[in-house]
Amino acid sequence: MRELLIHLHIPKCSGTSVNYEMIRHFGAARVLSGQPPLALGRLAAMTLDERNAAYDAVAGHFAWNVTEYFENRPFTAFSILRDPLERICSFFNFVHRSTSHPANAIFKKRLKSLNDLTEALMRPHPIFFKEWSNYYTRAFSGLSIDRFVDGDSAKGVLGPAGFGATFDEARSLVEERIADRRLIIGEQPLIEAFLRDKGVLEGSLTHRNVAPKVDPAQSDYEVATVATLSPATRALLLEWNALDMALLGAVAPDSVRHRGVAVVGGGASPSA
């Protein structure tokens, strides 16, 4: 049975043309893509044989769990790593430029600068759980991750109350998949080499912006970059992404690049 290639595309992760190259290589009809709830609904309505016959690749905002729909089929999942703070800045700018995004209204009203962010603002809005906290850990391990459980701050907790998972379990799953070569994660050059080896890519990945560049002087919001983050905002975002930073520090320490983060004992933590 032919290998299935799975691109775990972390939202606002790379800005590159991975999905485009996969569709170009395999053909749009043979790449499972689109919004995960709809795409997974299509898979659930098919038999295992139908799924395996229909698709050569998966490309989109999927987590590791998508592999469960292709039982006993050889596959390799891969993803370009990006520091969580860079990913959050990219997402902030994207929401401000996208009037159709469900978070656009609250960003325009209450978050014109990323440095206006507070824990009080983050708590009641699901968008901050879904997009801004511990996305890598959730995607690569397949475990659900909640920043708050029953309304109480629960740093480092995986899953809803009673789920029973721990960060060490999530890390072990990811490390096992990397060791088995079922999961390839790293910076863009590593993923380019992997795709060239698979025959999907001939040259290099090109940058594909999801929104046009905005002149900060002509913008109605403060364009966010890691360099513009205040110490308080940086600390808050690192706290909310503590699991991601620890995971990257454990399995891909070269990808934890910010000077505000130190790799410590196989994990990562905010430096003093």
Side-chain angles (χ1 to χ4, degrees):
M1 187 179 296
R2 65 193 180 283
E3 180 188 30
L4 182 75
L5 281 187
I6 302 174
H7 179 211
L8 301 179
H9 180 197
I10 308 303
K12 313 302 164 287
C13 176
S14 62
T16 62
S17 54
V18 177
N19 289 4
Y20 171 83
E21 293 293 343
M22 293 179 73
I23 290 172
R24 180 196 58 78
H25 178 75
F26 292 110
R30 300 201 60 81
V31 178
L32 178 71
S33 59
Q35 292 301 314
L38 295 177
L40 296 179
R42 294 200 303 273
L43 288 182
M46 304 167 71
T47 67
L48 176 61
D49 288 343
E50 287 172 337
R51 294 172 206 141
N52 284 328
Y55 296 111
D56 292 314
V58 175
H61 301 328
F62 297 96
W64 182 267
N65 310 59
V66 72
T67 62
E68 297 171 4
Y69 289 90
F70 299 92
E71 185 179 355
N72 297 325
R73 181 173 180 180
F75 67 86
T76 305
F78 66 96
S79 183
I80 295 176
L81 290 180
R82 187 176 187 181
D83 189 288
L85 295 188
E86 292 181 357
R87 178 177 61 82
I88 288 170
C89 290
S90 176
F91 179 74
F92 171 84
N93 297 330
F94 171 74
V95 171
H96 267 286
R97 299 172 199 160
S98 178
T99 57
S100 62
H101 195 284
N104 179 266
I106 188 172
F107 276 38
K108 290 298 185 187
K109 182 178 180 180
R110 301 188 59 186
L111 203 59
K112 292 194 174 185
S113 167
L114 189 50
N115 288 323
D116 293 334
L117 190 66
T118 64
E119 184 134 349
L121 176 61
M122 293 175 81
R123 264 183 181 268
H125 298 289
I127 190 69
F128 297 117
F129 297 107
K130 182 180 179 183
E131 302 284 4
W132 281 11
S133 64
N134 301 316
Y135 205 98
Y136 290 110
T137 320
R138 180 167 64 247
F140 295 154
S141 70
L143 298 175
S144 175
I145 298 170
D146 290 334
R147 171 63 173 76
F148 294 101
V149 178
D150 297 331
D152 295 323
S153 180
K155 299 174 187 176
V157 172
L158 287 123
F163 186 81
T166 66
F167 171 71
D168 285 341
E169 288 176 291
R171 184 177 68 181
S172 293
L173 286 172
V174 175
E175 289 177 331
E176 176 185 319
R177 290 159 183 167
I178 291 173
D180 290 344
R181 300 290 292 175
R182 289 180 294 163
L183 175 62
I184 310 296
I185 57 176
E187 301 293 338
Q188 184 170 322
L190 183 147
I191 299 303
E192 287 179 337
F194 167 77
L195 291 175
R196 284 193 290 267
D197 183 64
K198 294 295 182 181
V200 173
L201 183 68
E202 294 182 359
S204 300
L205 294 168
T206 58
H207 190 84
R208 298 176 65 86
N209 283 322
V210 295
K213 292 184 178 180
V214 175
D215 181 355
Q218 304 297 319
S219 175
D220 65 350
Y221 68 96
E222 182 182 284
V223 176
T225 67
V226 174
T228 65
L229 295 178
S230 70
T233 301
R234 177 189 287 261
L236 179 60
L237 293 176
L238 287 175
E239 176 187 337
W240 274 63
N241 288 274
L243 293 178
D244 278 0
M245 303 308 291
L247 178 67
L248 297 186
V251 304
D254 290 344
S255 296
V256 183
R257 300 189 305 276
H258 286 303
R259 284 175 291 178
V261 176
V263 178
V264 179
S269 63
S271 63

